[in-house]
Amino acid sequence: MVSSDSVNSRVETLSSSGIATIPKEYIRPKEELINISDIFEQEKSTDGPQVPTIDLKEIDSENENVRERCREELKKAAVDWGVMHLVNHGISDELMDRVRKAGKAFFDLPIEQKEKYANDQASGKIQGYGSKLANNASGQLEWEDYFFHLVYPEDKRDLSIWPQTPADYIEATAEYAKELRALATKVLRVLSLGLGLEEGRLEKEVGGLEELLLQMKINYYPLCPQPELALGVEAHTDVSALTFILHNMVPGLQLFYEGKWVTAKCVPNSIIMHIGDTIEILSNGKYKSILHRGMVNKEKVRISWAVFCEPPKEKIILKPLPETVSETEPPIFPPRTFAEHIQHKLFRKSQEALLNK
């Protein structure tokens, strides 16, 4: 039985109710509203720095010079930005379109049907259909609904909570996850070499083929009547090793680069890749985990498919690798498990919210 409370708690319900002003829980504090204006105009702007586009076509070229040039560009983007548009990444346009089509078809279902897949964060059931709960000290909410599930390794998935409608959802998503896993290996190899490590080292440090988890979160940002007051996702860095993002070509991602919010362009057939905190820690800050946020608008629904590549929660101690540390570059992160790192971030965030009250 779907309760009316859960249906009413969805942002989609609010958006389609015809409200002209958003509830106060969704209005962000003044300091968070800097540089929030028309996202479509911001995306068109060519002023200032732009998120780099990295062409991976020659990442495994037999020509050493060509291969090294490609790898050097990826490494430079990881050092300077910690985020990039990947093109010629080896995943077909057809498969990406199937993933987008399937995810959109799920969110196009009536809310009552989606509620059958609802998660229950209070009881620890985090996989499934949900909305952000006001679990932070400031009580703020984000203008999005989402679907969250573990998509790889295959033996750790729970297909019973994956959408059965549309029919292609499971097959397309599973195939995409498998191909992303191979792409993650390629990227980690280049990032390892960029630190002067053996090419398999970073992959091993984040759990290897057996333990690195790929968690997909489909973010659904409904139309917002007051986009200048709200955020789809508040400013944060990803805790993952790497994050790969597909989107429906509606702008919304902003990165905090050199003290300013920069709007990412919509690059056709690209996958956005973020370096997460895990790789930043292992590299002792040489690779960056960039602060970013998700914007909303009143004209077009935005959907993004974020896949977080995460190490196991308890098995690995995350700390700067010995090769990244020296007398002049001491470790800038203390040793923590992945679970402890997440708790540390949550604690720090709640402390900041209390101070800002």
Side-chain angles (χ1 to χ4, degrees), residues 83-98:
V83 65
M84 60 204 81
H85 302 282
L86 300 179
V87 296
N88 290 317
H89 38 66
I91 298 178
S92 73
D93 298 349
E94 185 217 1
L95 178 58
M96 294 193 298
D97 284 342
R98 281 173 62 202

PDB file of all heavy atoms in Angstrom, residues 83-98:
ATOM      1  N   VAL A  83      37.771  17.167 -12.792  1.00  0.00           N
ATOM      2  CA  VAL A  83      36.535  16.865 -13.523  1.00  0.00           C
ATOM      3  C   VAL A  83      36.811  17.099 -14.997  1.00  0.00           C
ATOM      4  O   VAL A  83      37.633  17.948 -15.353  1.00  0.00           O
ATOM      5  CB  VAL A  83      35.354  17.737 -13.029  1.00  0.00           C
ATOM      6  CG1 VAL A  83      35.583  19.219 -13.328  1.00  0.00           C
ATOM      7  CG2 VAL A  83      34.027  17.280 -13.634  1.00  0.00           C
ATOM      8  N   MET A  84      36.150  16.324 -15.858  1.00  0.00           N
ATOM      9  CA  MET A  84      36.386  16.472 -17.300  1.00  0.00           C
ATOM     10  C   MET A  84      35.254  15.816 -18.084  1.00  0.00           C
ATOM     11  O   MET A  84      34.549  14.935 -17.569  1.00  0.00           O
ATOM     12  CB  MET A  84      37.731  15.842 -17.683  1.00  0.00           C
ATOM     13  CG  MET A  84      37.824  14.369 -17.382  1.00  0.00           C
ATOM     14  SD  MET A  84      39.548  13.782 -17.168  1.00  0.00           S
ATOM     15  CE  MET A  84      39.891  14.257 -15.469  1.00  0.00           C
ATOM     16  N   HIS A  85      35.066  16.273 -19.337  1.00  0.00           N
ATOM     17  CA  HIS A  85      34.177  15.594 -20.279  1.00  0.00           C
ATOM     18  C   HIS A  85      35.027  14.554 -21.000  1.00  0.00           C
ATOM     19  O   HIS A  85      36.036  14.916 -21.614  1.00  0.00           O
ATOM     20  CB  HIS A  85      33.623  16.562 -21.326  1.00  0.00           C
ATOM     21  CG  HIS A  85      32.866  17.726 -20.770  1.00  0.00           C
ATOM     22  ND1 HIS A  85      31.565  17.622 -20.313  1.00  0.00           N
ATOM     23  CD2 HIS A  85      33.200  19.029 -20.620  1.00  0.00           C
ATOM     24  CE1 HIS A  85      31.142  18.814 -19.910  1.00  0.00           C
ATOM     25  NE2 HIS A  85      32.123  19.687 -20.066  1.00  0.00           N
ATOM     26  N   LEU A  86      34.635  13.283 -20.963  1.00  0.00           N
ATOM     27  CA  LEU A  86      35.357  12.250 -21.707  1.00  0.00           C
ATOM     28  C   LEU A  86      34.628  11.993 -23.022  1.00  0.00           C
ATOM     29  O   LEU A  86      33.408  11.755 -23.028  1.00  0.00           O
ATOM     30  CB  LEU A  86      35.413  10.943 -20.909  1.00  0.00           C
ATOM     31  CG  LEU A  86      36.089  10.972 -19.532  1.00  0.00           C
ATOM     32  CD1 LEU A  86      36.035   9.587 -18.889  1.00  0.00           C
ATOM     33  CD2 LEU A  86      37.531  11.468 -19.630  1.00  0.00           C
ATOM     34  N   VAL A  87      35.357  12.054 -24.141  1.00  0.00           N
ATOM     35  CA  VAL A  87      34.782  11.682 -25.439  1.00  0.00           C
ATOM     36  C   VAL A  87      35.622  10.539 -26.024  1.00  0.00           C
ATOM     37  O   VAL A  87      36.744  10.303 -25.599  1.00  0.00           O
ATOM     38  CB  VAL A  87      34.714  12.880 -26.422  1.00  0.00           C
ATOM     39  CG1 VAL A  87      33.769  13.949 -25.898  1.00  0.00           C
ATOM     40  CG2 VAL A  87      36.092  13.484 -26.678  1.00  0.00           C
ATOM     41  N   ASN A  88      35.022   9.816 -26.971  1.00  0.00           N
ATOM     42  CA  ASN A  88      35.660   8.605 -27.524  1.00  0.00           C
ATOM     43  C   ASN A  88      36.105   7.672 -26.392  1.00  0.00           C
ATOM     44  O   ASN A  88      37.226   7.171 -26.372  1.00  0.00           O
ATOM     45  CB  ASN A  88      36.841   8.970 -28.430  1.00  0.00           C
ATOM     46  CG  ASN A  88      36.378   9.619 -29.720  1.00  0.00           C
ATOM     47  OD1 ASN A  88      35.409   9.174 -30.335  1.00  0.00           O
ATOM     48  ND2 ASN A  88      37.032  10.706 -30.107  1.00  0.00           N
ATOM     49  N   HIS A  89      35.192   7.474 -25.472  1.00  0.00           N
ATOM     50  CA  HIS A  89      35.481   6.690 -24.257  1.00  0.00           C
ATOM     51  C   HIS A  89      35.233   5.200 -24.441  1.00  0.00           C
ATOM     52  O   HIS A  89      35.461   4.410 -23.531  1.00  0.00           O
ATOM     53  CB  HIS A  89      34.615   7.203 -23.096  1.00  0.00           C
ATOM     54  CG  HIS A  89      33.232   7.575 -23.533  1.00  0.00           C
ATOM     55  ND1 HIS A  89      32.333   6.647 -24.007  1.00  0.00           N
ATOM     56  CD2 HIS A  89      32.626   8.784 -23.618  1.00  0.00           C
ATOM     57  CE1 HIS A  89      31.203   7.264 -24.360  1.00  0.00           C
ATOM     58  NE2 HIS A  89      31.357   8.568 -24.140  1.00  0.00           N
ATOM     59  N   GLY A  90      34.729   4.819 -25.630  1.00  0.00           N
ATOM     60  CA  GLY A  90      34.556   3.391 -25.910  1.00  0.00           C
ATOM     61  C   GLY A  90      33.172   2.843 -25.611  1.00  0.00           C
ATOM     62  O   GLY A  90      32.890   1.673 -25.896  1.00  0.00           O
ATOM     63  N   ILE A  91      32.294   3.644 -25.019  1.00  0.00           N
ATOM     64  CA  ILE A  91      30.920   3.178 -24.758  1.00  0.00           C
ATOM     65  C   ILE A  91      30.040   3.741 -25.868  1.00  0.00           C
ATOM     66  O   ILE A  91      30.057   4.950 -26.141  1.00  0.00           O
ATOM     67  CB  ILE A  91      30.435   3.619 -23.364  1.00  0.00           C
ATOM     68  CG1 ILE A  91      31.346   2.991 -22.297  1.00  0.00           C
ATOM     69  CG2 ILE A  91      28.977   3.225 -23.142  1.00  0.00           C
ATOM     70  CD1 ILE A  91      31.024   3.380 -20.870  1.00  0.00           C
ATOM     71  N   SER A  92      29.293   2.867 -26.529  1.00  0.00           N
ATOM     72  CA  SER A  92      28.576   3.287 -27.739  1.00  0.00           C
ATOM     73  C   SER A  92      27.458   4.286 -27.430  1.00  0.00           C
ATOM     74  O   SER A  92      26.830   4.235 -26.369  1.00  0.00           O
ATOM     75  CB  SER A  92      27.992   2.066 -28.465  1.00  0.00           C
ATOM     76  OG  SER A  92      26.878   1.563 -27.741  1.00  0.00           O
ATOM     77  N   ASP A  93      27.213   5.155 -28.418  1.00  0.00           N
ATOM     78  CA  ASP A  93      26.100   6.118 -28.300  1.00  0.00           C
ATOM     79  C   ASP A  93      24.785   5.366 -28.126  1.00  0.00           C
ATOM     80  O   ASP A  93      23.894   5.805 -27.394  1.00  0.00           O
ATOM     81  CB  ASP A  93      26.010   6.999 -29.560  1.00  0.00           C
ATOM     82  CG  ASP A  93      27.260   7.832 -29.772  1.00  0.00           C
ATOM     83  OD1 ASP A  93      28.097   7.881 -28.851  1.00  0.00           O
ATOM     84  OD2 ASP A  93      27.405   8.430 -30.858  1.00  0.00           O
ATOM     85  N   GLU A  94      24.675   4.228 -28.810  1.00  0.00           N
ATOM     86  CA  GLU A  94      23.434   3.447 -28.755  1.00  0.00           C
ATOM     87  C   GLU A  94      23.166   2.959 -27.328  1.00  0.00           C
ATOM     88  O   GLU A  94      22.045   3.065 -26.819  1.00  0.00           O
ATOM     89  CB  GLU A  94      23.532   2.257 -29.717  1.00  0.00           C
ATOM     90  CG  GLU A  94      22.250   1.460 -29.809  1.00  0.00           C
ATOM     91  CD  GLU A  94      22.460  -0.054 -29.943  1.00  0.00           C
ATOM     92  OE1 GLU A  94      23.620  -0.516 -29.957  1.00  0.00           O
ATOM     93  OE2 GLU A  94      21.447  -0.754 -29.996  1.00  0.00           O
ATOM     94  N   LEU A  95      24.199   2.443 -26.654  1.00  0.00           N
ATOM     95  CA  LEU A  95      24.011   1.950 -25.288  1.00  0.00           C
ATOM     96  C   LEU A  95      23.682   3.112 -24.344  1.00  0.00           C
ATOM     97  O   LEU A  95      22.790   2.994 -23.488  1.00  0.00           O
ATOM     98  CB  LEU A  95      25.269   1.210 -24.810  1.00  0.00           C
ATOM     99  CG  LEU A  95      25.213   0.676 -23.365  1.00  0.00           C
ATOM    100  CD1 LEU A  95      24.026  -0.274 -23.163  1.00  0.00           C
ATOM    101  CD2 LEU A  95      26.517  -0.024 -22.985  1.00  0.00           C
ATOM    102  N   MET A  96      24.366   4.241 -24.490  1.00  0.00           N
ATOM    103  CA  MET A  96      24.072   5.386 -23.625  1.00  0.00           C
ATOM    104  C   MET A  96      22.632   5.863 -23.833  1.00  0.00           C
ATOM    105  O   MET A  96      21.936   6.205 -22.872  1.00  0.00           O
ATOM    106  CB  MET A  96      25.068   6.526 -23.889  1.00  0.00           C
ATOM    107  CG  MET A  96      26.494   6.157 -23.483  1.00  0.00           C
ATOM    108  SD  MET A  96      27.613   7.580 -23.423  1.00  0.00           S
ATOM    109  CE  MET A  96      27.607   8.147 -25.105  1.00  0.00           C
ATOM    110  N   ASP A  97      22.169   5.834 -25.101  1.00  0.00           N
ATOM    111  CA  ASP A  97      20.785   6.236 -25.384  1.00  0.00           C
ATOM    112  C   ASP A  97      19.788   5.278 -24.742  1.00  0.00           C
ATOM    113  O   ASP A  97      18.748   5.695 -24.233  1.00  0.00           O
ATOM    114  CB  ASP A  97      20.538   6.302 -26.899  1.00  0.00           C
ATOM    115  CG  ASP A  97      21.150   7.561 -27.521  1.00  0.00           C
ATOM    116  OD1 ASP A  97      21.441   8.515 -26.749  1.00  0.00           O
ATOM    117  OD2 ASP A  97      21.352   7.587 -28.742  1.00  0.00           O
ATOM    118  N   ARG A  98      20.116   3.980 -24.770  1.00  0.00           N
ATOM    119  CA  ARG A  98      19.225   2.987 -24.131  1.00  0.00           C
ATOM    120  C   ARG A  98      19.121   3.239 -22.628  1.00  0.00           C
ATOM    121  O   ARG A  98      18.044   3.157 -22.043  1.00  0.00           O
ATOM    122  CB  ARG A  98      19.746   1.567 -24.381  1.00  0.00           C
ATOM    123  CG  ARG A  98      19.412   1.026 -25.755  1.00  0.00           C
ATOM    124  CD  ARG A  98      20.107  -0.315 -25.977  1.00  0.00           C
ATOM    125  NE  ARG A  98      19.666  -1.335 -25.030  1.00  0.00           N
ATOM    126  CZ  ARG A  98      20.372  -2.429 -24.719  1.00  0.00           C
ATOM    127  NH1 ARG A  98      21.577  -2.636 -25.277  1.00  0.00           N
ATOM    128  NH2 ARG A  98      19.904  -3.315 -23.856  1.00  0.00           N
TER     129      ARG A  98
END
